[in-house]
Amino acid sequence: MLFKQQAWLRQKLLVLGSLAVGSLLYLVTRVGSLDRLQPICPIEGRFGARGQAEFPLRALQFKRGLLHEFRKGNSSKEQVRLHDLVQQLPKAIIIGVRKGGTRALLEMLNLHPAVVKASQEIHFFDNDENYAKGIEWYRKKMPFSYPQQITIEKSPAYFITEEVPERIYKMNSSIKLLIIVREPTTRAISDYTQVLEGKERKNKTYYKFEKLAIDPNTCEVNTKYKAVRTSIYTKHLERWLKYFPIEQFHIVDGDRLITEPLPELQLVEKFLNLPPRISQYNLYFNATRGFYCLRFNIIFNKCLAGSKGRIHPEVDPSVITKLRKFFHPFNQKFYQITGRTLNWP
Ligand code: A3P
């Protein structure tokens, strides 16, 4: 009996404790008391010569509280400083590469308080119909943010679509461009796996990877196969370099983002002139998923959807060897142009 009472008391205390912590967090995120909080770590100079003082901490901390509610339509005008929120054109775009880890990169960058992501792939520059709707249409697709924050969107089809570099250049010739790449053969298999899953969902049969990647007549690599062509990174990059200098690109190692995301993200923070605010706290390895997941704070965390991190089909090792040999010279050129050596086989 005594034991039961003690258990009851313990349970009540636990509930009361959770309520108290919950209320405190509620107040901290909803009320202006945020202004009195200290920054987690010192904020260094960013956004040009005028420096950090211009970047209101309040804007950073409100990002996932009020802005989130605003997007969901849950908050009143008093809570959200509506007049400060704007839909801004992106200052950086993740232009590709498909299956390189573009979603993981976008979501992880969004952990940074000064970054606001466009959740959907907008496909403005690669889709003629969308492009014809004009830049205002594009801007209105962007999330609300504070002027000091930067908007980032990702549409991996941009990297391989002929017209895109010129179109982006016309919008903003000094935009920052992020390309996340993976070892080309692995990326091609990942690409194939995604298409295969789509076919299976529709109860359709599909060719084996080997049959698509190798031309049965010549027994050489089939360069007409899109998954192979997309992995010839240097060919696509060369088209972009007709419009943008190499300094405007940053290459993210997608294989490393899987196993060791923080250093890759820190390089991106530097490239974007953002103060280093993403920390190991924001990233935790989820053994069940087999990937790093995201932690925004003590309450909110998330892993990427199951469509990210599919199990690849087994591929004939001789085909893998052939593909790796095929990609090798293109990779060397890619390292040379970008200045980033990735040690792919
Ligand atoms: P696989 O499905 O081949 O494993 P994209 O977002 O460009 O489509 O890229 C998908 C790839 O992102 C996945 O490819 C997966 O390996 C990779 N990825 C990188 N970090 C991840 C993470 N934290 N969670 C899930 N997938 C991640």
Side-chain angles (χ1 to χ4, degrees), residues 83-95:
H83 55 279
D84 286 353
L85 289 165
V86 276
Q87 284 169 295
Q88 308 187 73
L89 287 171
K91 293 217 171 68
I93 304 181
I94 301 170
I95 57 173

Side-chain angles (χ1 to χ4, degrees), residues 94 96-106 108 121 154 156 180 182 186-187 189-191 193-194 254-259 261 283-284 289-294 302-312:
I94 301 170
V97 179
R98 175 183 153 95
K99 305 321 293 172
T102 53
R103 173 57 61 185
L105 178 61
L106 182 72
M108 287 173 180
E121 290 181 12
K154 76 118 179 162
I180 177 162
R182 267 164 99 187
T186 311
R187 197 221 63 84
I189 297 170
S190 172
D191 200 330
T193 310
Q194 171 155 307
D255 295 306
R256 191 165 175 232
L257 193 84
I258 296 174
T259 55
L283 302 155
Y284 67 97
R289 274 297 270 118
F291 285 97
Y292 275 88
C293 296
L294 287 65
K302 70 165 185 181
C303 297
L304 263 60
S307 59
K308 305 294 172 188
R310 296 184 177 101
I311 295 168
H312 297 178

Side-chain angles (χ1 to χ4, degrees), residues 15-82:
V15 172
L16 281 172
S18 315
L19 277 174
V21 171
S23 314
L24 196 69
L25 279 167
Y26 177 83
L27 283 170
V28 163
T29 50
R30 300 286 293 262
V31 187
S33 61
L34 279 170
D35 283 342
R36 293 192 296 273
L37 290 180
Q38 292 303 305
I40 304 157
C41 52
I43 307 168
E44 290 156 17
R46 61 183 298 274
F47 295 125
R50 288 193 291 163
Q52 184 53 46
E54 292 170 46
F55 198 82
L57 178 64
R58 188 188 172 96
L60 303 184
Q61 289 160 321
F62 265 46
K63 183 181 163 191
R64 281 180 195 91
L66 301 186
L67 191 58
H68 178 70
E69 297 211 349
F70 172 74
R71 283 203 202 110
K72 289 185 131 188
N74 288 343
S75 56
S76 69
K77 273 188 180 177
E78 296 78 54
Q79 288 167 326
V80 178
R81 293 171 304 146
L82 269 179

Side-chain angles (χ1 to χ4, degrees), residues 60-249:
L60 303 184
Q61 289 160 321
F62 265 46
K63 183 181 163 191
R64 281 180 195 91
L66 301 186
L67 191 58
H68 178 70
E69 297 211 349
F70 172 74
R71 283 203 202 110
K72 289 185 131 188
N74 288 343
S75 56
S76 69
K77 273 188 180 177
E78 296 78 54
Q79 288 167 326
V80 178
R81 293 171 304 146
L82 269 179
H83 55 279
D84 286 353
L85 289 165
V86 276
Q87 284 169 295
Q88 308 187 73
L89 287 171
K91 293 217 171 68
I93 304 181
I94 301 170
I95 57 173
V97 179
R98 175 183 153 95
K99 305 321 293 172
T102 53
R103 173 57 61 185
L105 178 61
L106 182 72
E107 297 294 333
M108 287 173 180
L109 287 178
N110 191 53
L111 288 163
H112 196 290
V115 172
V116 181
K117 63 162 186 186
S119 295
Q120 305 295 321
E121 290 181 12
I122 318 260
H123 288 281
F124 177 62
F125 298 104
D126 62 309
N127 180 313
D128 291 344
E129 215 174 287
N130 287 343
Y131 191 64
K133 291 176 186 159
I135 204 82
E136 264 310 285
W137 178 88
Y138 181 52
R139 200 179 58 77
K140 292 231 169 77
K141 290 277 171 203
M142 295 299 154
F144 284 90
S145 61
Y146 290 105
Q148 298 87 345
Q149 294 178 309
I150 61 166
T151 303
I152 299 189
E153 83 124 325
K154 76 118 179 162
S155 295
Y158 289 168
F159 186 57
I160 56 159
T161 309
E162 191 97 18
E163 300 81 6
V164 174
E166 185 180 1
R167 288 176 177 179
I168 294 186
Y169 182 84
K170 280 182 181 160
M171 175 188 74
N172 178 359
S173 63
S174 60
I175 196 156
K176 300 203 171 189
L177 302 162
L178 294 160
I179 307 174
I180 177 162
V181 288
R182 267 164 99 187
E183 189 277 306
T185 304
T186 311
R187 197 221 63 84
I189 297 170
S190 172
D191 200 330
Y192 166 83
T193 310
Q194 171 155 307
V195 177
L196 176 70
E197 196 185 280
K199 300 273 182 198
E200 281 172 349
R201 223 181 300 122
K202 292 179 195 155
N203 268 330
K204 287 185 178 169
T205 49
Y206 196 44
Y207 301 107
K208 285 190 82 181
F209 176 78
E210 290 85 339
K211 193 157 189 236
L212 294 165
I214 305 294
D215 183 330
N217 299 319
T218 61
C219 286
E220 293 301 323
V221 170
N222 178 10
T223 49
K224 291 199 183 95
Y225 178 39
K226 196 174 168 192
V228 166
R229 268 191 289 122
T230 303
S231 284
I232 309 176
Y233 306 135
T234 184
K235 287 274 175 224
H236 301 287
L237 182 61
E238 277 164 28
R239 276 187 303 103
W240 284 83
L241 289 172
K242 289 185 190 143
Y243 293 89
F244 299 96
I246 195 66
E247 295 72 35
Q248 263 169 258
F249 295 86

